[in-house]
Amino acid sequence: VQLQASGGGLVQAGGSLRLSCAASGSLISVNNMAWYRQAPGKHREFVARITSVGVTTYADSVKGRFTISRDNAENAVYLQMSTLEPGDTAVYHCNVDVRPFGGTWSNVFGEGTQVTVSS
């Protein structure tokens, strides 16, 4: 199973970005999908999660500014980020509960995409 994130970049404070991440592999099942981020010198932190039926959870720091969504047919998860702040600067990683056909569930982090917000 591979996770490929994209959509990061450099944006001014107050701007918006949309991150995408797709899980690929043969005959996989996907459950919860989430985004985490890691700023320089800090631990990785939870950003948002969406269940297979669309129930969402957000970190307090991004509530009202970020929206997580998913496309079950594409095994993809998205993060629409608005009103970005310099404190949102981090490497963003998607995170998926995935099970290959005939296999067991595992929790997988993908390669990150850099988001930089300038003041």
Side-chain angles (χ1 to χ4, degrees), residues 49-57 68-70 72:
R49 176 181 296 111
I50 185 167
T51 70
S52 59
V53 295
V55 176
T56 58
T57 307
I68 189 171
S69 60
R70 64 188 287 167
N72 290 332

Side-chain angles (χ1 to χ4, degrees), residues 8-119:
L10 173 63
V11 64
Q12 288 188 329
S16 300
L17 282 174
R18 184 174 188 254
L19 306 184
S20 302
C21 179
S24 62
S26 299
L27 301 175
I28 60 173
S29 297
V30 175
N31 196 356
N32 294 334
M33 307 183 85
W35 289 94
Y36 286 75
R37 66 186 182 186
Q38 187 167 17
K42 295 187 176 181
H43 294 295
R44 185 178 293 173
E45 66 173 1
F46 168 77
V47 176
R49 176 181 296 111
I50 185 167
T51 70
S52 59
V53 295
V55 176
T56 58
T57 307
Y58 296 93
D60 288 344
S61 59
V62 306
K63 280 182 182 177
R65 301 188 298 120
F66 291 10
T67 302
I68 189 171
S69 60
R70 64 188 287 167
D71 182 336
N72 290 332
E74 298 293 330
N75 288 330
V77 61
Y78 308 98
L79 187 68
Q80 177 67 48
M81 305 185 293
S82 303
T83 320
L84 283 161
E85 304 167 353
D88 295 317
T89 295
V91 176
Y92 284 71
H93 299 265
C94 58
N95 172 259
V96 177
D97 292 329
V98 63
R99 182 185 65 181
F101 179 76
T104 58
W105 286 102
S106 61
N107 184 263
V108 179
F109 277 95
E111 294 292 328
T113 184
Q114 176 71 47
V115 172
T116 303
V117 184
S118 63
S119 58

